[in-house]
Amino acid sequence: MSATDLVRALARSVHGEVESDATARALTTMDASNYRRVPQAVVAPRDADDVAETLRVCREHATPVVPRGAGTSIAGQATGTGVVLDFTRHMRRILELDPGSRTAVVQPGVILDDLRAAAPHGLTFGPDPSTHSRCTLGGMIGNNSCGSHSVAWGTTADNLRSLRVVRYGGGEALHVGRGLPDAPPGLDGFAAGHLALLRTGFPELPRRISGYALDALLPENGPDHARALCGSEGTLAVVTEATVRLVETPAARALAVLGYADETAAAEAAPGLLPYGPLTVEGMAADLVRGPAGLPRGAAWLFVETGGATPAQARDRANRILRAADALDGTVVTDPAGMRTLWRIREDAAGTATRMPDGTEAWPGWEDCAVPPARLGPYLRDFRALLTAHGLHGTPYGHFGDGCIHVRIDFDLLTEQGVARFRRFSEEQAGLVVAHGGSLSGEHGDGQARAELLPRMYGDEMVRLFTRFKDLWDPDGGLNPGILARPARLDENLRFAVLPRRPVDVTFGYPHDGGDFSAAVRRCVGVATCRTATPGPGADVMCPSFRATGEEAHSTRGRARLLHEMLAGEVITDGWRSTEVRDALDLCLSCKGCRSDCPVGVDMATYKAEFLHHHYRGRLRPAAHYAMGGLPRWLRTAAPFAGVLNALARIGPLAALARRLGGVDPRRPLPVLARRTFRSWGGARRTPATGEAVVLWPDTFTDHLSPEVGRAAVRVLESAGRTPVLPARGVCCGLTYVSTGRLDAARAVMRRTLDRTGPADGVPVVVLEPSCAATLRTDLPELLPDDPRAAALAASVRTLAQYLEEYAPDWMPPRLDRRVAGQTHCHQHAVLGDAAERRLRERAGLAGELSGGCCGLAGNFGFEKGHWDVSVACAEERLLPAVREAEPGTELLADGFSCRTQLDQLAGRRARHLAEVLAEGLPPETGEGPPGRAERRRGRP
């Protein structure tokens, strides 16, 4: 039967969504591995009956099924050629929490962090892989996931009580677990016939994940069919419900950070710390640390977490480990924020390790081998020698206390010669792991990456037993074929094989990817940091549109997958004209959050601009691209008529017509034009030079919409003994042209700007609008990579706080002593950083934290028709609640014009730029009093 018949049959039988369009299929071709398989359809079941019906229909149509959680598997087991079951949409309920028995009953789509947050006080689910903010319990069961706390609480299998599962073909669900009678026919006597092999054929080590856990069927171990299913990678049955064990979590924690000469020394030290009862013994090397991190002296570190009933007890246990450890240096961290920062470095390693220090790409494939902890040091030495012999490089890190090592290796998976070397290395690496008594997989499963090599670890007889076990559960072979039993070759289905062999003709320079757009898209390895339902600690931004919609297509990863398939041309066949990619990118706010928050530095704002440039080339664009994309030109034209235009904008029908013609959402008030631009004010102002000159950039928003910000910045700079000067007329960063993908116009504007500014000559340029500063800092040199003036201007850009800190360090800001709330601009977070702003606020006595995330307006995004709901949802995530909860009299700060506009339009509150607040505290200029509070509230320019 055809795929169309299959989809129709599924749609008749399943209450959940059945999707076979190009977008749905493209989003599920890959997980976080090196592999790619194209499915026929995706089913999002609503309940266990939907799962059974899907399995029944697929058996009737001889179509394979792959159960999938968050798609973060690293060995290829979450991809398939038939029907993908997506559990993340509906089957994500926590059905029961029982503090008495310390158990929880969950559906397979439950996110681990959701379970941990809902667990009764003092209890948690012990296994915690680094993907805890987005991985699902079903996926953890499929892979027998572990995480950093496994030295204390074990693997998922160790914390599993029972499962309800459905076999291929549907039918009645089985309830399996220790002491439960349910099992497929023929399985009762399976273990009895192979007792000797099952008792001697499995290595004894804490992280033995490879193969099927057939030793769980031994009489002395239960038999426990749930444990045997755990780690079976969706090849035996589909989980519809799980009962898991909860563990008692310490009331307080501390972190001992120990420095060593290299990762081998750290690995050799790790087993000696286990008798002290730590919660974690994690290891990582300096190659994975990007920028200053406050780590002790050394080139590799162990993160050893301890717990206690009180902070003092946790700290004492950490200090005891610090004294006992033979380390070069060490420290104990007890501050929760400090611990979160350090753990973030470790958790991001799955992404940061994909780029070597020299910028070359590195890939999984040998991501999580495990050996007995006492053998870890010698194993690492031999592993390094094997890498050297093959001319390869990688940086090991991971769960040193359990002997489990993660590593990304700079395999060449793009050429035949490179793939051949990948196979040779894999075969020798398997032998090395086995020689040290280890497991090919110590956490993420075998998948397609290692299952072919299981005979080297277990021998042919045990592997034949694995195949027989698979056939008892799944006689039709319909569940995740090619994985574990009768595996595909490890060098088949590589996701890179379908990409163009020559660089794609693009407009941006992509300096970090060798100018290759395909390499830029390949940055996304699928670890899905962007797929978090709630923002992380600190000021994380990525990915606001996913948090607003909950849809994979509107995550950074989803968009990268669609671009990958666009380049491949198999599922998405229209290239740059693709409507699937266009629609997914439509809700990208171009916040640039992924540029900093994505551990591999995916820059979706740039990719979106690139795509829009090609998509609309030679074609009519949406009205908003002309109206808001050309905003600088329109505002310059409108400036002499500002008063008249403001009056006309207050006439309802005329304003509605203007919004309709400009592609503006009808719920958005039109911005008020300044009666006098900042540049006009600055040109008429005659003041003596006060000191060293600094260029003050008259960005479009400051010049035409909020000139009071520019006037305030002049006051501040002059009080610091500097002489602000404006550049020549007609300069513009090109932001609005970039964000709407009008890249030819953007480059023309940028070249004109460079012509009019002349050589930088080391003169700093203060840019008050964060989005414009970010454009000059990044987009300018990346769109004009061959013009040295672009790099020079980019290097000269400073925010006001950065300039004052660097060039006027002795200047004392006015002491204001008030509370603040508001927004850190997303581009400031992603490109510029806000450390200087934080320090300046502290010196000025402005206490309190600004919200992170994205305000949701994001330049033209929130004004465009069709974006209102997402724009409001983004604002409601952090910004609006923070403002509502602020104490009366709190000063609202927002350096971005978009952020201030969003607060004004959605909350009726006026926020101010930091320059305005500082200027208010300065002595008034001669003949001039401070602006009145009422005038500031009305926001009159």
Short mmCIF file of all heavy atoms in Angstrom, two decimals, residues 817-837:
data_model
loop_
_atom_site.label_atom_id
_atom_site.label_comp_id
_atom_site.label_asym_id
_atom_site.label_seq_id
_atom_site.Cartn_x
_atom_site.Cartn_y
_atom_site.Cartn_z
N ASP A 817 20.36 55.75 44.29
CA ASP A 817 19.78 54.97 45.40
C ASP A 817 18.29 54.70 45.20
O ASP A 817 17.43 55.24 45.89
CB ASP A 817 20.01 55.69 46.73
CG ASP A 817 21.49 55.72 47.10
OD1 ASP A 817 22.18 54.73 46.82
OD2 ASP A 817 21.93 56.75 47.64
N ARG A 818 18.00 53.87 44.22
CA ARG A 818 16.61 53.46 44.01
C ARG A 818 16.59 52.05 43.42
O ARG A 818 17.59 51.55 42.92
CB ARG A 818 15.88 54.44 43.10
CG ARG A 818 16.38 54.48 41.67
CD ARG A 818 15.70 55.55 40.82
NE ARG A 818 16.13 56.88 41.22
CZ ARG A 818 16.00 57.95 40.44
NH1 ARG A 818 15.45 57.83 39.24
NH2 ARG A 818 16.41 59.13 40.84
N ARG A 819 15.43 51.43 43.51
CA ARG A 819 15.24 50.09 42.94
C ARG A 819 14.96 50.21 41.45
O ARG A 819 14.36 51.18 40.99
CB ARG A 819 14.07 49.38 43.61
CG ARG A 819 14.22 49.14 45.09
CD ARG A 819 15.22 48.04 45.40
NE ARG A 819 14.85 46.78 44.78
CZ ARG A 819 15.62 45.67 44.83
NH1 ARG A 819 16.79 45.72 45.45
NH2 ARG A 819 15.22 44.56 44.26
N VAL A 820 15.40 49.20 40.70
CA VAL A 820 15.13 49.19 39.26
C VAL A 820 14.54 47.84 38.86
O VAL A 820 14.76 46.81 39.51
CB VAL A 820 16.40 49.46 38.42
CG1 VAL A 820 16.93 50.85 38.70
CG2 VAL A 820 17.46 48.40 38.67
N ALA A 821 13.77 47.87 37.80
CA ALA A 821 13.29 46.67 37.11
C ALA A 821 13.28 47.02 35.63
O ALA A 821 13.57 48.15 35.25
CB ALA A 821 11.91 46.27 37.61
N GLY A 822 12.94 46.06 34.79
CA GLY A 822 12.91 46.34 33.37
C GLY A 822 13.52 45.22 32.57
O GLY A 822 13.41 44.05 32.94
N GLN A 823 14.20 45.56 31.47
CA GLN A 823 14.59 44.57 30.48
C GLN A 823 16.03 44.78 30.02
O GLN A 823 16.44 45.90 29.69
CB GLN A 823 13.68 44.69 29.26
CG GLN A 823 14.02 43.79 28.09
CD GLN A 823 13.41 42.42 28.22
OE1 GLN A 823 12.35 42.27 28.83
NE2 GLN A 823 14.03 41.41 27.66
N THR A 824 16.81 43.70 30.01
CA THR A 824 18.08 43.68 29.29
C THR A 824 17.79 43.29 27.86
O THR A 824 17.22 42.23 27.60
CB THR A 824 19.05 42.66 29.92
OG1 THR A 824 19.37 43.06 31.24
CG2 THR A 824 20.33 42.58 29.10
N HIS A 825 18.15 44.13 26.92
CA HIS A 825 17.84 43.88 25.52
C HIS A 825 18.45 42.55 25.07
O HIS A 825 19.57 42.20 25.43
CB HIS A 825 18.39 45.02 24.67
CG HIS A 825 17.86 45.07 23.28
ND1 HIS A 825 18.26 44.21 22.30
CD2 HIS A 825 16.94 45.89 22.70
CE1 HIS A 825 17.62 44.49 21.18
NE2 HIS A 825 16.81 45.51 21.40
N CYS A 826 17.69 41.81 24.26
CA CYS A 826 18.15 40.48 23.84
C CYS A 826 19.44 40.57 23.03
O CYS A 826 20.32 39.71 23.16
CB CYS A 826 17.06 39.75 23.06
SG CYS A 826 16.33 40.69 21.71
N HIS A 827 19.60 41.60 22.18
CA HIS A 827 20.85 41.74 21.44
C HIS A 827 22.01 42.13 22.35
O HIS A 827 23.16 41.74 22.08
CB HIS A 827 20.68 42.81 20.34
CG HIS A 827 19.83 42.36 19.20
ND1 HIS A 827 19.67 43.10 18.05
CD2 HIS A 827 19.09 41.24 19.02
CE1 HIS A 827 18.86 42.45 17.22
NE2 HIS A 827 18.49 41.33 17.79
N GLN A 828 21.70 42.86 23.39
CA GLN A 828 22.75 43.18 24.36
C GLN A 828 23.26 41.90 25.01
O GLN A 828 24.46 41.67 25.12
CB GLN A 828 22.20 44.12 25.44
CG GLN A 828 23.19 44.41 26.55
CD GLN A 828 23.53 45.88 26.65
OE1 GLN A 828 22.72 46.73 26.35
NE2 GLN A 828 24.74 46.18 27.06
N HIS A 829 22.32 41.06 25.43
CA HIS A 829 22.70 39.79 26.04
C HIS A 829 23.50 38.93 25.08
O HIS A 829 24.53 38.35 25.45
CB HIS A 829 21.43 39.05 26.47
CG HIS A 829 21.64 37.59 26.75
ND1 HIS A 829 22.16 37.13 27.94
CD2 HIS A 829 21.41 36.49 26.00
CE1 HIS A 829 22.22 35.81 27.91
NE2 HIS A 829 21.78 35.40 26.75
N ALA A 830 23.06 38.86 23.82
CA ALA A 830 23.63 37.90 22.88
C ALA A 830 24.94 38.35 22.27
O ALA A 830 25.81 37.52 21.99
CB ALA A 830 22.61 37.62 21.77
N VAL A 831 25.10 39.65 22.05
CA VAL A 831 26.25 40.13 21.28
C VAL A 831 27.18 41.00 22.12
O VAL A 831 28.40 40.86 22.07
CB VAL A 831 25.78 40.92 20.04
CG1 VAL A 831 26.97 41.52 19.30
CG2 VAL A 831 24.97 40.02 19.11
N LEU A 832 26.61 41.92 22.89
CA LEU A 832 27.41 42.96 23.54
C LEU A 832 27.79 42.63 24.97
O LEU A 832 28.83 43.06 25.46
CB LEU A 832 26.64 44.29 23.52
CG LEU A 832 26.10 44.72 22.15
CD1 LEU A 832 25.04 45.79 22.31
CD2 LEU A 832 27.24 45.22 21.28
N GLY A 833 26.92 41.87 25.66
CA GLY A 833 27.12 41.63 27.07
C GLY A 833 26.68 42.81 27.91
O GLY A 833 26.68 43.96 27.44
N ASP A 834 26.27 42.56 29.15
CA ASP A 834 25.76 43.64 29.99
C ASP A 834 26.53 43.78 31.30
O ASP A 834 26.05 44.40 32.24
CB ASP A 834 24.27 43.41 30.29
CG ASP A 834 24.04 42.21 31.19
OD1 ASP A 834 24.90 41.32 31.24
OD2 ASP A 834 22.98 42.17 31.84
N ALA A 835 27.74 43.23 31.34
CA ALA A 835 28.52 43.31 32.58
C ALA A 835 28.84 44.76 32.95
O ALA A 835 28.76 45.15 34.12
CB ALA A 835 29.80 42.49 32.45
N ALA A 836 29.20 45.57 31.95
CA ALA A 836 29.53 46.98 32.24
C ALA A 836 28.30 47.72 32.74
O ALA A 836 28.39 48.57 33.64
CB ALA A 836 30.08 47.65 30.98
N GLU A 837 27.12 47.41 32.17
CA GLU A 837 25.89 48.05 32.62
C GLU A 837 25.58 47.67 34.06
O GLU A 837 25.15 48.52 34.86
CB GLU A 837 24.73 47.65 31.72
CG GLU A 837 24.63 48.42 30.42
CD GLU A 837 25.72 48.07 29.41
OE1 GLU A 837 26.39 47.02 29.58
OE2 GLU A 837 25.92 48.83 28.47
#
